[in-house]
Amino acid sequence: MNILVTGGAGYIGSHTLIELYKAGHTAVVVDNLSNSNPESLRRVAELAGIEQVPFYKVDIRDREALEKVFSQHKLDACIHFAGLKAVGESVEKPWEYYENNIGGTLVLVDVMRQHGCKNIIFSSSATVYGDPAQIPITEQCPKGTCTNPYGWTKSMLEQVLTDIQHADPSWNVVLLRYFNPVGAHPSGRIGEYPNGIPNNLMPYITQVAVGKRPQLGVFGNDYPTPDGTGVRDYIHVCDLASGHVSALQAIDRCCGLAIYNLGTGQGYSVLDMVHAFERVNHVPIPYTIQPRRAGDIATCYSNPAKAEAELGWKARYGIDDMVRDSWNWQRNNPDGYPC
Ligand code: NAD
Ligand code: UFG
């Protein structure tokens, strides 16, 4: 299939491109580069053994530019990663988040339907479960109250895509709820380099390891978890990427609308991650215990059985691979991609 990958220059998009090429698909990338660097696409081409990734520097809110891409390529499906994703920033700039994530998706979906491309895989998040009603979280678990505008954009866009599919059953919509993506391609050539101070645990740990930050702050050690620190379902980004290819291969038989958790089913605490990083990479990670972070929940991990049963997908990488590959990327690219 020929796939439109929005946000394909970003962290998860770039890893997914490699899996798409591996599976024999082709891709066209649109990205406005607001949170990425086109060097990622050059490296994807190198890793995939192709000359170059077809790329358009296009903002998905720009209808005319998107129309042009659709008129130049016959596209079978879209994997839609493009969006803003910083939780804290979304609290400061809610309008920008709703306008970019929701406004952009509405334009994208309209252009898709006008060109008869009605297959979409959407990057959703475990954040839509809010403080989950049950652990491990199955897809039947009710959606909850999000604690920030970013989370609401995911929750609302799930509803938007669901309603569009109900109104026009010729759409195939797959909502993938990611748990906590970490790691990088084992080559160390592509990975994640957040702007400014990292919000997420793993990039913070790798920046402490490489000497950019003096120590990690562990946000709370009084949660009702085995060691008191927050528990999450960390998933290697290459596993996440292959989940998209599995979803794509099943898109025709997914009965119009399908929702899958993409996680490992295994919860690890903050200190489990710190200690695994130190053990595997032989690098100390100094830390101090700090107060809880507003909006955090104690425990969040998936039941990924539905994706295995229906897509034949399950995570293959373990915690040692995740911390090894995160570090391999960071130490080989201490400042991210060159500008
Ligand atoms: P990322 O920021 O690395 O990638 C997103 C890409 O979208 C970037 O390259 C950015 O330049 C591009 N983009 C943003 N707005 C755009 C627009 N209007 N037009 C065109 N391009 C635009 O983020 P990521 O970690 O790769 O995440 C990909 C998707 O997965 C996002 O939708 C994110 O919300 C979702 N997600 C991420 C996580 C995570 O922890 N990384 C967890 C759950 C869901
Ligand atoms: N943590 C620290 N110190 C840090 C950063 C994080 O102790 O410097 C802790 C958090 O308190 C939490 C755990 O590490 O217990 C994981 O935190 P992250 O910020 O890495 O991830 P979250 O689970 O908070 O959120 C992530 C994404 C969201 C997404 C959510 C569910 O950032 O976008 O997973 O998929 F919605």
Side-chain angles (χ1 to χ4, degrees), residues 15 21 41 52 75 93-94 157 222 244 266 277 324 337:
H15 289 82
Y21 286 119
L41 297 176
Q52 60 176 18
L75 295 160
K93 298 179 175 173
L157 282 169
D222 56 353
H244 292 74
Q266 170 78 53
F277 191 95
R324 181 199 61 224
Y337 295 112

Side-chain angles (χ1 to χ4, degrees), residues 6-14 30-37 40 57-62 80-86 99-101 104 122-127 150 153-154 176-182 191-192 200 237 240 244:
T6 73
Y11 173 46
I12 304 170
S14 55
V30 297
D31 197 305
N32 67 0
L33 303 181
S34 59
N35 195 38
S36 51
N37 183 317
S40 66
K57 184 170 185 284
V58 159
D59 190 302
I60 57 166
R61 292 166 294 179
D62 182 346
H80 178 31
F81 294 108
L84 301 174
K85 65 161 185 177
E99 200 267 338
N100 189 77
N101 293 4
F122 175 62
S123 296
S124 189
S125 166
T127 198
Y150 163 74
T153 69
K154 293 296 173 194
L176 297 180
R177 293 177 176 163
Y178 310 159
F179 281 69
N180 289 58
V182 295
E192 179 184 31
N200 297 121
V237 67
L240 196 61
H244 292 74

Side-chain angles (χ1 to χ4, degrees), residues 117-167:
C117 176
K118 294 188 181 176
N119 296 313
I120 188 165
I121 295 174
F122 175 62
S123 296
S124 189
S125 166
T127 198
V128 301
Y129 293 113
D131 197 350
Q134 73 192 54
I135 297 282
I137 304 171
T138 67
E139 293 80 354
Q140 270 79 50
C141 198
K143 283 167 73 176
T145 301
C146 297
T147 53
N148 57 77
Y150 163 74
W152 282 119
T153 69
K154 293 296 173 194
S155 188
M156 289 177 188
L157 282 169
E158 284 199 354
Q159 191 63 48
V160 167
L161 293 171
T162 300
D163 291 343
I164 287 171
Q165 196 283 328
H166 284 162

Side-chain angles (χ1 to χ4, degrees), residues 59-73:
D59 190 302
I60 57 166
R61 292 166 294 179
D62 182 346
R63 177 183 297 268
E64 218 174 288
L66 258 191
E67 294 270 4
K68 228 166 138 190
V69 175
F70 273 87
S71 55
Q72 285 170 8
H73 298 271

Side-chain angles (χ1 to χ4, degrees), residues 201-211 277 285 323 326-327 330:
L201 178 64
M202 186 50 75
Y204 209 108
I205 290 177
T206 61
Q207 290 200 8
V208 171
V210 85
F277 191 95
I285 304 297
V323 296
S326 297
W327 178 227
Q330 176 76 75

Side-chain angles (χ1 to χ4, degrees), residues 311-331:
L311 304 178
W313 172 88
K314 75 182 224 204
R316 296 176 10 247
Y317 291 91
I319 186 173
D320 288 11
D321 306 305
M322 298 183 210
V323 296
R324 181 199 61 224
D325 292 340
S326 297
W327 178 227
N328 190 34
W329 153 256
Q330 176 76 75
R331 80 190 148 99

